[in-house]
Amino acid sequence: MRADTTDVAFRLLLALGEIWDGLQRADIDPAVRGLYLTREYLGGYTRFSAGPSSTPRLVVEWNESSRHLRVLRCTDWPGFDRLISTTIGYVRDEARKAGISDTVEETLVRACQTPLPVRRTVFSNASEPLVARRA
């Protein structure tokens, strides 16, 4: 797994995070396939914490307007692409049944398009003091 906007699976994860609350309001639980995701709003940034369990393997902060991605944690996540793919498949099927497929499809298609350039900052291991390095 690469916490980078050039990676389509990672962009799809951010797109799922964008629509996560709306899916749950439509009685669609994206976590049913094993993807756990939380969001926190931090001023201009949104912090996404994701993993195959309640312990996140990926923690990033994303600012859409400045196109800045801060990678706080990115540990090995075997099966990341497969988990994102099965979650997307489930969400698409359930969105079609709930009558919200247009909104979901628009978000997912936008995530698959070639991304604009991004400024990316990767922080060192969380067990050490946070020291930024440019990627």
Side-chain angles (χ1 to χ4, degrees), residues 26 28 91-104:
I28 300 170
V91 165
R92 291 177 78 202
D93 290 345
E94 294 299 309
R96 199 172 349 217
K97 293 174 191 173
I100 60 170
S101 63
D102 291 345
T103 304
V104 169

Side-chain angles (χ1 to χ4, degrees), residues 5 14 44-46 48 60-64 67-69 118:
T5 58
L14 292 179
Y45 286 85
T46 303
F48 294 93
V60 297
E61 293 176 352
W62 173 243
N63 184 307
E64 180 68 37
R67 312 279 308 150
H68 184 209
L69 178 69
V118 171

Side-chain angles (χ1 to χ4, degrees), residues 25-98:
R25 282 192 300 273
D27 291 327
I28 300 170
D29 183 11
V32 77
R33 293 293 186 240
L35 175 64
Y36 295 89
L37 185 132
T38 60
R39 292 185 320 186
E40 296 174 70
Y41 296 103
L42 311 166
Y45 286 85
T46 303
R47 179 178 288 173
F48 294 93
S49 301
S53 66
S54 59
T55 304
R57 295 204 179 159
L58 173 69
V59 179
V60 297
E61 293 176 352
W62 173 243
N63 184 307
E64 180 68 37
S65 62
S66 69
R67 312 279 308 150
H68 184 209
L69 178 69
R70 294 190 280 207
V71 181
L72 304 176
R73 179 185 304 156
C74 184
T75 58
D76 189 36
W77 188 345
F80 172 75
D81 291 343
R82 185 180 67 250
L83 180 59
I84 296 299
S85 178
T86 58
T87 301
I88 293 290
Y90 170 76
V91 165
R92 291 177 78 202
D93 290 345
E94 294 299 309
R96 199 172 349 217
K97 293 174 191 173

